[in-house]
Every structure is written in structure tokens, then in C-alpha cells.
């Protein structure tokens, strides 16, 4: 039996309890040996985050400290190029045994945008994809993903075989929290207590992050 490793990437600007609760639920549901949160150092699909990459990484490290099996993987900070997921997967695969299973966690919106990702058609060569669904994720997948879904979707997410190659859908406890909402609240000088871990909140206040310019 190989290892079962989950991968959850994002800008985490900032990391919040929606990210963490969702990650922990999936890790427990699938019996992952590890679930690695992978902060994007240079996100290719969105504007440069408001705070530095190093600060976003530190907040994620604070958030998961002591919360097994969650951990942080900082490999995207060691590349000078944009943080392309395919290169992260290739790098990980080079370190793992052939029988180790990789599970890439993506939200429904991100999954629908997959065809815009760098070398997206190669992702399933390296991992399984778990699509995290929320109650509001009822839109149809774009046409250029439908053939892939028909060929690669497993009805039972717990039946994924081999080290890579299949897609499954996983129901998530709905937590209507977004990093955008948190940044807006902080910019207005309002509290985000209980929306982010206490250690992350203390870091935000200590470094005066996300405050609106005077």
C-alpha cells in the first residue's frame, strides 16, 4: 500500500476556516496520510495578492501547526516561474513511490476553469482530482470538460484505483466564507474573529495587514 496524499493549493489571502475545515473533512473522509496545503507564490490566474507571498505562507503555517494530517508544502516558493499546478505535481511525483496516490482538491469554480490552466490535460497523468462541491455549485461543466468527465468520473469517490487518472465529486459542509469577504471586513476596520484561526488573526493584527490606506 502506498501513501495517500491530498493536495490543496490556493492563494490563501488570507487562509480561513472555510479552507481549513474543508481540508480536514476530506483528509479524514479519505484517510489521507497527509494533506498538504500549497500556497501559490505567483498565482497565474489572478492579480498579485495584497500581502506578500512570504506573509501568506507564514499565515498558512500558523493555521495548520499541530493539526495533523494537515501540513504546508512551500515548493512553489522555490520556483521563479508562475505557480503552475502541473509543475508542482511533476515535482511531487519525482519524490514519491509509484504506488503513492495523489489527490488534487479543487472547488467547483476552479474545476470549471481547468481548461485555462497550463498543460491542464496532463494533470490526471499525475493525480486523481477531487472536486469539492457546495450546495450552490449547480451550474453545468463547460463543454470542453464534458468528454473528460464522462470518461474519467468515478461514481464512488472512495473507489479510486491506481496512483492517478480519475475524477470524483465530494460533498462539502457549506461554510459561506471567502477571503474576499475577510479582506473587505478588515479594510473597513471590522472584526474577523472566528473566521480565521486565532494565530492567523494575531499575525494579521501584528503586521497590520489588509488595512485600507489612509
Amino acid at each position: 500500500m502506498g501513501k495517500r496524499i491530498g493536495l490543496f493549493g490556493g492563494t490563501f489571502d488570507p487562509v480561513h476556516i472555510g479552507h481549513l475545515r474543508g481540508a480536514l473533512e476530506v483528509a479524514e473522509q479519505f484517510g489521507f496520510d497527509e494533506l498538504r496545503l500549497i500556497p501559490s507564490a505567483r498565482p497565474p490566474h489572478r492579480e498579485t495578492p495584497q500581502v506578500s507571498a512570504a506573509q501568506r505562507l507564514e499565515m498558512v503555517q500558523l493555521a495548520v501547526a499541530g493539526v495533523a494530517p494537515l501540513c504546508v508544502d512551500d515548493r512553489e516558493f522555490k520556483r521563479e516561474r508562475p505557480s503552475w499546478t502541473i509543475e508542482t505535481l511533476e515535482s511531487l511525483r519525482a519524490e514519491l513511490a509509484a504506488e503513492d496516490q495523489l489527490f488534487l482538491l479543487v472547488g467547483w469554480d476552479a474545476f470549471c476553469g481547468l481548461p485555462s490552466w497550463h498543460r491542464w490535460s496532463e494533470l490526471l497523468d499525475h493525480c486523481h482530482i477531487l472536486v469539492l462541491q457546495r450546495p450552490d455549485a449547480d451550474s453545468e461543466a463547460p463543454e470542453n470538460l464534458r468528454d473528460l468527465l464522462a470518461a474519467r468520473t468515478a461514481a464512488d469517490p472512495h473507489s479510486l484505483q491506481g496512483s492517478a487518472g480519475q475524477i470524483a465529486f465530494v460533498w462539502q459542509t457549506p461554510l459561506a466564507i471567502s477571503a474576499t469577504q475577510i479582506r473587505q471586513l478588515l479594510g473597513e476596520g471590522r472584526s474577523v474573529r472566528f473566521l480565521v484561526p486565532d494565530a492567523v488573526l494575531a499575525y494579521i493584527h501584528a503586521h497590520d495587514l489588509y488595512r485600507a490606506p489612509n
Side-chain angles (χ1 to χ4, degrees):
M1 279 288 289
K3 290 183 181 177
R4 295 166 62 82
I5 300 173
L7 310 172
F8 184 24
T11 51
F12 301 120
D13 184 30
V15 64
H16 55 70
I17 63 166
H19 296 133
L20 299 167
R21 182 63 210 170
L24 191 59
E25 279 187 11
V26 175
E28 291 182 342
Q29 186 178 347
F30 287 87
F32 289 159
D33 296 287
E34 303 174 3
L35 198 159
R36 302 187 187 190
L37 277 71
I38 307 179
S40 177
R42 299 169 185 82
H45 293 289
R46 59 180 65 194
E47 295 179 2
T48 302
Q50 185 177 338
V51 305
S52 74
Q55 289 172 322
R56 291 186 289 109
L57 174 62
E58 285 188 74
M59 286 189 282
V60 179
Q61 290 170 331
L62 288 168
V64 303
V67 187
L70 305 187
C71 58
V72 180
D73 188 314
D74 66 354
R75 71 187 57 233
E76 295 191 353
F77 289 75
K78 299 169 183 174
R79 298 201 302 262
E80 295 300 322
R81 295 186 299 284
S83 300
W84 288 314
T85 300
I86 185 63
E87 293 190 353
T88 299
L89 290 170
E90 289 173 334
S91 172
L92 278 161
R93 269 287 163 219
E95 300 170 3
L96 300 174
E99 64 271 19
D100 290 341
Q101 290 184 298
L102 284 179
F103 299 83
L104 179 64
L105 281 59
V106 297
W108 173 249
D109 291 343
F111 179 75
C112 289
L114 219 59
S116 68
W117 291 24
H118 183 59
R119 293 167 52 201
W120 74 278
S121 61
E122 300 172 42
L123 295 172
L124 286 171
D125 295 340
H126 304 284
C127 67
H128 297 298
I129 294 178
L130 297 180
V131 184
L132 310 181
Q133 284 190 294
R134 302 186 311 266
D136 58 347
D138 56 358
S139 57
E140 287 192 10
E143 190 171 348
N144 49 3
L145 279 177
R146 289 176 197 163
D147 288 345
L148 182 70
L149 283 168
R152 299 294 191 100
T153 299
D156 178 3
H158 296 278
S159 69
L160 299 180
Q161 300 296 314
S163 61
Q166 294 179 281
I167 300 167
F169 291 82
V170 181
W171 180 262
Q172 285 282 280
T173 298
L175 290 175
I177 302 166
S178 74
T180 301
Q181 169 199 17
I182 290 168
R183 293 194 302 271
Q184 182 176 344
L185 289 169
L186 288 165
E188 295 169 356
R190 296 166 66 189
S191 175
V192 295
R193 186 91 188 271
F194 308 124
L195 295 176
V196 299
D198 288 345
V200 172
L201 183 60
Y203 185 94
I204 288 170
H205 289 326
H207 295 269
D208 204 24
L209 303 181
Y210 303 110
R211 293 292 297 274
N214 293 326

